[in-house]
Amino acid sequence: MALSLSPTAGIDMPAPHGGQAQVHGRNDAFSFWKLSEDWRPALAPTIGPSAAAAERFLLEQYLPDVERRPPSALRAYYCVKRLIPRALRHRLNSAAVHARRRLEFPRWPCESALVEFWRDWLRRGLELLGAKDGWHIGFWPDHTKCCIVLTHDVESPRGFERMEQVAELEEQYGFRSAWNLPLAQYPIDWGQVARLRARGFEFGAHGLSHDGRLFRSPRDFAELAPVLEQLAAEHGLRGFRSPSTLRDPRAIATLAFDFDSSFADTDPYEPQPGGTCSLFPFHLSRLIELPYTLPQDHTLIHLLHRSPLPVWMMKAKWIASLGGMILTLTHPDYCGDGVYLAAYEELLKRLGEMEGAWRALPSEAAGWWWQRARLRLQIDNGQPHITGLGAARAIALRLSEQPLAS
Ligand SMILES: [Zn+2]
């Protein structure tokens, strides 16, 4: 089907792997809401500027340029990291986080700036149209109201061994999750990967290794990206999360993956602090970005010394109330045993009780977001009509019934 979308306003990416120029999704407010095409001409003057305004958040452009890539001070740390025992490393990281200047923006654990921007644009749009209400294509398929995606990064052989136990718990509560593996950090038992895949779990690439090299310089990226892509292709890994969530959106957007999850909505505690403020997927050139939206177990346990469950549930309920995407990032290395595994089990139990939530694998959430981007909504005789591939799964909702709109 023909796609009337053009490349994103804020990022000018090189052609992705495979050579051919591809059509990219857009992050403007009209495309986010997926309003009726009948409204497009009247709203056209506001659509282009809305993409630039949204991408100020989504691509962390509110940060100075130097803070939108891995900090140079990390180089020294990665040189000695191997030599520091793990427990001491957590203590040093915790001290560093507490000593660091707290970002005033984005707030943590909840930042609503982008939600307010989407709402505000819609309110002004309705005013411009002289409309009190209207229709849009719901954010999630099959009449669901919000989305839950469970992901893990597996940092060590110990974490790898614990996958089975965590997977069993997830199955017990009716979930499947995704596991991201660093592909050159420790030996991977691909037989175990195949067994979990056969049960419906998904695997992604967590870079090659936690050595801080991938985005350190264009030279490092040029050397390592092809190795990473080759290994990922050999093992059928379509999703990426950068080690330590170090990130450079321009570089990530050129990687031969279908989706990425290296960004948070807000995470001031990572080595590269920041956040997209987004509780929904968005377009990162030809990739779909799936920001993690619940605080990491590692952050809460080792850096902040807080009990994870209350923070997780407070945030999860807030996201669900807005119809957004609850995307967890836990590590079986830290959360796959004892009291923390019990906390994770309780999280699964409570997420499992959320009504109308779509339980999706990252590949499903990303695939849906692409599909939704291609759908078209039109009003015929006052009734909404959605066309395009996947239209049967989509639902037209009145804006007045959409919690994010009010
Ligand atoms: Zn990691």
Side-chain angles (χ1 to χ4, degrees), residues 198-254:
R199 284 156 57 183
F201 292 86
E202 182 168 297
F203 284 80
H206 191 30
L208 290 169
S209 166
H210 288 69
D211 57 7
R213 274 192 68 201
L214 186 58
F215 301 117
R216 191 170 62 179
S217 70
R219 216 169 112 184
D220 285 300
F221 185 72
E223 182 192 328
L224 298 176
V227 181
L228 167 66
E229 289 169 337
Q230 165 105 32
L231 280 171
E234 271 171 29
H235 295 289
L237 310 173
R238 302 308 311 146
F240 175 71
R241 177 175 290 127
S242 175
S244 310
T245 71
L246 296 175
R247 60 207 179 272
D248 175 339
R250 282 172 187 271
I252 288 178
T254 67

Side-chain angles (χ1 to χ4, degrees), residues 110-127:
C110 299
E111 174 54 69
S112 60
L114 186 58
V115 166
E116 282 154 24
F117 171 75
W118 297 133
R119 264 183 191 160
D120 196 46
W121 181 90
L122 186 67
R123 187 179 49 76
R124 286 164 193 257
L126 289 172
E127 275 171 21

